[in-house]
Amino acid sequence: MPSLALSDTASFRALQHHSTQTKDRQLRRLFSQDPTRFSSFSLEAAGLFLDYSKNILDHTTLQLLADLARECGIETQREAMFCGEKINSTEQRAVLHTALRAPRNQALHIGEQNVSADVHAVLDHMNAFTKRVRDGEWKGYTGKAITDIVNIGIGGSDLGPKMVCHALRSYAHPRLTMHFVSNVDGHDMDAVLSTTPPDTTLFIVVSKTFTTLETLLNAQSARAWFLQQGTEDDLAQHFVAVSTNTEAVKTFGIDPANMFPFWDWVGGRYSVWSAVGLAAALSIGFEHFSDFLAGAHAMDEHFRHASLESNMPVLLGLIGVWNRNFLGCSSLSIAAYHQDLSKFPAYLQQLEMESNGKRVMREGAAIDIETCPVIWGDCGTNGQHAYFQLLHQGTDIIPIDFIAALKPSHHLPGHHAALLANCFAQSEAFMRGKTADEVRADLQKTGVSNDAIENMVPHKTFPGNRPSNTILMDSLTPAALGALIALYEHKTFVQGIVWNVNSFDQWGVELGKVLARTIQSELIAESRPENHDSSTNGLIARAKAATVLHF
Ligand code: F6P
């Protein structure tokens, strides 16, 4: 682990030198010079295929990046994570989401805890519970089977299960409608409660800490709504909890027998593999949930054992470092060419930005280089008709991760070829661009005047040389999704090690939470607020004047 500033390490300097020497490289030329570029710069692991040949790099770049990873101690840190060392240094916690998807016979102890026994005891409980709900044995208070499941949680207690349910909706149980309420904005809960029948709705209150304001308020509102129809005695059939905080769950009024625990060594944004994934297990069934875990485990095994040079998460992470720190790219766009992955970019936003959106090193000193880029995106082909213009011809270079499945899970003729054609065409267009001469030649065929041609040439020219990765899976199965998420988790880990940040804390979300508590009490108080800046005072006063009856 470097205690030096990263920019002072030998490998970082070597990369800087290499980047200045190669700064004019053009992807078009790299492809025409080397017909084997695709096979040289692609690999398969855990059922996923990664083509990284459309990045502005060569074998030397990759070797220097691997040197950087080694100098940063990636191999030691990786093993420390898998073995349960307390690598989350500011919270003194182990980081063991990989243990949540390890097979039963893969023993792991940390301190007094038999991790693998505890993990599998909860999985067994989830298995039994999901079976009862899905088979209709678990009844609501009028004796009817559950029809609606409402997951109440936010951040990692929402984004993971919501994304997985959506991604695997072709596996969903036909009787169960899944709902997700995260926002403290009452419109979110209100919209769900206006459609769900109280006697056949099951609420899963998911919160690692069970102190999160949004989740507790939403859970209280759901409870009050339920008690308009059912009784206190009926609550046990309609409310279950997922948390690390048994006492708070009891205080809230949920029977601990209906609580699915997890542990402080599971970070919120890494928790979908734990009981936090209960909504997903209910929707797709426990066997498919087990396949999902197995897919992630396959990626774990690859990440843990493959050499850095042929390691998919390491390569994805290091290419991101190359784009961020040496090519100056400040954001990464995720283009999922699969409608069922529409919630994947939002999931990755929390995973990467909450993990690596940091400005100090693990030892506390300021970092002297850029860290996590902004992660954003949407589904292909929708993005093509919205923001791809900027990606093709804007002034910033924004790398793109294309993600697609080779086989669809629908039977509509014609759609999938059109989808994949667009995915591959976009990555080709970003790489090749279109030169002024090519534009001229095209326009000349239309018979317009030379003056008109010259006026149009700058507008129709594409610079190209835009880096991209393409990740392919055979089809979007539970196992493939598990491997895909684990790929990005480990990519995030790799980048965190290189940038020397603690990827497993999130102190940056605290300040706003504290200020909101103060402002909330001021909004309902009689007096005018005076302790803020004039803007904040003014906004509070305006809200008090307008909405006093609703607070
Ligand atoms: O405030 C950020 C955060 O702590 C996330 O890291 C977490 O996923 C989310 O809030 C929800 O936290 P909890 O599961 O404890 O309610």
Side-chain angles (χ1 to χ4, degrees):
M1 188 201 319
S3 50
L4 284 176
L6 186 63
S7 59
D8 287 335
T9 60
S11 47
F12 193 89
R13 289 189 170 184
L15 275 159
Q16 271 177 327
H17 179 67
H18 174 69
S19 68
T20 47
Q21 278 190 324
T22 56
K23 69 178 175 356
D24 295 327
R25 260 185 320 200
Q26 292 293 316
L27 279 168
R28 258 189 192 224
R29 196 165 328 123
L30 293 177
F31 272 97
S32 61
Q33 283 167 349
D34 177 8
T36 66
R37 189 170 170 85
F38 173 67
S39 53
S40 303
F41 297 111
S42 57
L43 85 162
E44 267 186 277
L48 301 183
F49 176 81
L50 169 66
D51 169 19
Y52 56 99
S53 61
K54 292 191 180 101
N55 284 285
I56 311 170
L57 46 74
D58 59 17
H59 291 287
T60 309
T61 323
L62 287 177
Q63 196 49 59
L64 292 172
L65 285 166
D67 293 347
L68 175 71
R70 283 204 174 85
E71 193 173 354
C72 294
I74 204 96
E75 286 147 316
T76 327
Q77 290 298 312
R78 178 179 59 183
E79 209 43 29
M81 175 175 73
F82 277 99
C83 293
E85 284 180 35
K86 293 188 173 170
I87 60 168
N88 176 354
S89 51
T90 61
E91 297 178 310
Q92 280 304 304
R93 289 178 183 164
V95 174
L96 273 176
H97 45 280
T98 52
L100 298 168
R101 55 233 190 181
R104 203 179 281 272
N105 59 7
Q106 194 169 307
L108 179 70
H109 290 76
I110 48 165
E112 299 291 293
Q113 190 181 9
N114 182 339
V115 169
S116 111
D118 286 353
V119 164
H120 282 274
V122 176
L123 286 172
D124 291 343
H125 186 189
M126 288 169 68
N127 187 0
F129 177 71
T130 51
K131 195 165 178 331
R132 288 186 67 198
V133 173
R134 287 168 60 86
D135 289 354
E137 272 172 43
W138 181 285
K139 310 272 190 219
Y141 67 88
T142 57
K144 292 192 215 146
I146 297 297
T147 57
D148 291 74
I149 295 174
V150 184
N151 187 97
I152 302 176
I154 197 163
S157 298
D158 166 69
L159 291 163
K162 183 165 63 186
M163 182 271 287
V164 173
C165 283
H166 197 73
L168 300 178
R169 60 187 171 165
S170 59
Y171 295 80
H173 191 291
R175 195 187 66 247
L176 299 175
T177 305
M178 310 306 296
H179 309 267
F180 291 85
V181 177
S182 53
N183 200 337
V184 75
D185 180 348
H187 294 107
D188 200 8
M189 181 57 93
D190 193 45
V192 169
L193 295 183
S194 65
T195 64
T196 47
D199 62 334
T200 58
T201 297
L202 175 72
F203 293 93
I204 313 175
V205 186
V206 187
S207 176
K208 178 176 171 180
T209 54
F210 230 77
T211 59
T212 303
L213 172 111
E214 290 90 334
T215 301
L216 293 190
L217 191 50
N218 278 324
Q220 273 152 7
S221 297
R223 192 174 190 274
W225 170 86
F226 176 80
L227 288 174
Q228 288 168 10
Q229 309 280 329
T231 67
E232 295 267 349
D233 287 345
D234 301 325
L235 281 169
Q237 288 146 271
H238 292 269
F239 281 79
V240 300
V242 176
S243 187
T244 60
N245 188 346
T246 314
E247 282 313 306
V249 169
K250 267 197 239 166
T251 310
F252 181 82
I254 294 179
D255 184 347
N258 292 337
M259 173 181 157
F260 297 81
F262 64 113
W263 307 273
D264 72 356
W265 38 260
V266 182
R269 53 194 173 274
Y270 299 88
S271 65
V272 68
W273 324 98
S274 71
V276 170
L278 186 61
L282 283 161
S283 175
I284 66 175
F286 196 77
E287 271 179 33
H288 289 135
F289 191 73
S290 300
D291 292 345
F292 171 65
L293 300 183
H297 178 66
M299 185 57 78
D300 293 342
E301 288 292 284
H302 165 76
F303 175 56
R304 189 171 186 178
H305 300 296
S307 72
L308 299 188
E309 287 79 2
S310 55
N311 190 311
M312 194 180 282
V314 171
L315 287 166
L316 200 60
L318 292 178
I319 290 166
V321 167
W322 173 246
N323 288 336
R324 179 74 177 117
N325 299 120
F326 301 95
L327 303 185
C329 305
S330 59
S331 89
L332 170 69
S333 187
I334 307 295
Y337 276 69
H338 199 307
Q339 193 60 32
D340 296 354
L341 286 175
S342 60
K343 299 189 188 307
F344 194 57
Y347 176 82
L348 287 188
Q349 281 182 326
Q350 188 198 16
L351 174 62
E352 298 203 28
M353 292 163 77
E354 202 174 66
S355 295
N356 289 338
K358 311 279 164 71
R359 50 181 284 285
V360 295
M361 294 191 275
R362 279 175 284 180
E363 301 80 9
I367 301 174
D368 62 342
I369 53 159
E370 301 77 19
T371 59
C372 190
V374 175
I375 310 290
W376 60 285
D378 197 355
C379 276
T381 59
N382 295 357
Q384 290 174 211
H385 299 274
Y387 52 79
F388 269 41
Q389 163 63 40
L390 181 149
L391 301 183
H392 281 292
Q393 290 186 313
T395 49
D396 288 296
I397 305 231
I398 299 178
I400 300 145
D401 282 0
F402 292 96
I403 303 171
L406 296 175
K407 295 178 194 143
S409 38
H410 64 79
H411 298 287
L412 297 175
H415 286 258
H416 207 61
L419 179 77
L420 289 183
N422 272 280
C423 177
F424 302 157
Q426 288 297 328
S427 83
E428 184 179 30
F430 283 119
M431 182 277 286
R432 286 184 63 79
K434 189 166 184 180
T435 64
D437 283 345
E438 287 168 344
V439 174
R440 256 182 220 108
D442 272 0
L443 288 173
Q444 273 155 3
K445 287 181 211 147
T446 67
V448 287
S449 71
N450 281 348
D451 280 355
I453 289 175
E454 288 314 312
N455 285 340
M456 286 311 292
V457 163
H459 301 283
K460 292 195 147 210
T461 299
F462 289 64
N465 220 29
R466 268 45 179 168
S468 71
N469 294 302
T470 300
I471 298 167
L472 299 177
M473 61 194 85
D474 192 50
S475 55
L476 185 54
T477 59
L481 181 67
L484 181 71
I485 301 170
L487 167 65
Y488 277 93
E489 283 180 348
H490 295 318
K491 169 215 164 172
T492 303
F493 175 83
V494 167
Q495 296 190 333
I497 296 299
V498 171
W499 291 325
N500 193 15
V501 298
N502 179 0
S503 302
F504 303 102
D505 61 12
Q506 57 283 322
W507 301 107
V509 299
E510 295 304 321
L511 177 61
K513 287 187 191 174
V514 173
L515 294 182
R517 273 198 287 276
T518 309
I519 294 179
Q520 192 173 345
S521 55
E522 289 167 346
L523 281 171
I524 47 182
E526 290 287 315
S527 54
R528 281 177 72 84
E530 279 162 11
N531 292 332
H532 306 273
D533 57 90
S534 64
S535 162
T536 311
N537 282 337
L539 294 170
I540 296 170
R542 209 172 159 82
K544 282 170 80 94
T547 56
V548 68
L549 294 177
H550 300 288
F551 292 147

